[in-house]
Amino acid sequence: MHSEHCVSSHLRLNIEEYDRIIRTYIPRYEESRGVQLELLAAANIPARARIVDLGGGTGSLAEAILERFPSSSVLVRDIDPEILALARTRLARFAHRVELSHGSFMDPLPAADAVLCAFALHHIPALERKAEAYQRIRNALRPGGVFLNTDAVSGPFWPSLREEWAVFMAGQGFTLEQAYGNLDSWAAEDTYFSVHQELTAMTQGGFESPECFWRHGPIAILGARV
Ligand SMILES: C[S@@+](CC[C@H](N)C(=O)[O-])C[C@H]1O[C@@H](n2cnc3c(N)ncnc32)[C@H](O)[C@@H]1O
């Protein structure tokens, strides 16, 4: 009992640390979360909606959804079992309204009224693969459903967007050199496409009218109603 309690408080510390750090890395993290939830509310999905948080990590987006939409249920899918353990701890208070699912962006999804992603799909390195992931999402959505993806985007002005991003991090306690170092090291795993490329991949994935709903510099919310 005692050791379980220790593990749980340790996990909680990790969650708090993750929540703090991601806000120093990502410009407008909090603001984009608020806009994503407003868009979900505007979509008018059923009160007892089934929502997927894809690449849900520690479950921070899922937590915000479960709080804001108290009759909804959320499936959190992520490829990393350790991070899912953090999500389990964070979301324990929502009990039966949460399902944790170990799997990939490429795996089929259960039927859903909404699929939301935050800062996750940039782990897909090629547009053809991204179109396949979008197809999985499109196939899961019920009529009237919505897809809302918050993520970094590039485009023809990437050098100035990259600079804007580095300057943001420099305002969060990093030196400018460290900030550029962060972006360089993430580039090994993360791929940012232009909004145009993303919308094209969504169309290839079967979305008829994909949109850019919101954008500030390198951060955007893209998606579609079906
Ligand atoms: C930067 S985190 C974002 C987590 C969370 N959505 C948030 O906003 O805090 C990216 C997440 O994507 C997950 N991920 C990476 N590749 C994945 C894949 N192929 N399938 C599912 N999840 C993946 C990682 O394990 C990680 O939890």
Side-chain angles (χ1 to χ4, degrees), residues 46-106:
R48 297 174 68 83
R50 173 77 158 152
I51 299 168
V52 173
D53 177 5
L54 191 54
T58 65
S60 71
L61 173 60
E63 181 177 44
I65 295 168
L66 289 157
E67 279 176 351
R68 170 83 186 258
F69 303 94
S71 302
S72 67
S73 60
V74 176
L75 177 136
V76 180
R77 174 160 298 167
D78 202 283
I79 203 151
D80 180 345
E82 286 180 19
I83 210 157
L84 275 177
L86 297 183
R88 180 171 291 112
T89 301
R90 187 200 288 266
L91 302 173
R93 67 191 163 102
F94 297 102
H96 62 279
R97 294 175 58 208
V98 178
E99 188 182 336
L100 298 159
S101 164
H102 180 225
S104 148
F105 301 138
M106 298 303 159

Side-chain angles (χ1 to χ4, degrees), residues 118-171:
F119 305 103
L121 296 184
H122 59 245
H123 286 289
I124 303 176
L127 274 173
E128 306 75 56
R129 296 289 284 160
K130 219 158 194 189
E132 286 172 34
Y134 288 144
Q135 192 168 41
R136 302 277 184 281
I137 294 167
R138 174 65 189 88
N139 290 345
L141 284 171
R142 296 181 176 129
V146 65
F147 171 44
L148 296 168
N149 177 29
T150 305
D151 209 345
V153 289
S154 61
F157 296 105
W158 174 245
S160 61
L161 297 179
R162 185 172 176 275
E163 187 183 338
E164 182 182 329
W165 195 337
V167 167
F168 165 79
M169 282 191 267

Side-chain angles (χ1 to χ4, degrees), residues 172-193:
Q172 303 294 313
F174 296 98
T175 65
L176 204 51
E177 196 182 3
Q178 285 170 332
Y180 280 115
N182 287 342
L183 289 168
D184 287 343
S185 70
W186 298 338
E189 284 192 6
D190 301 353
T191 310
Y192 313 130
F193 296 104

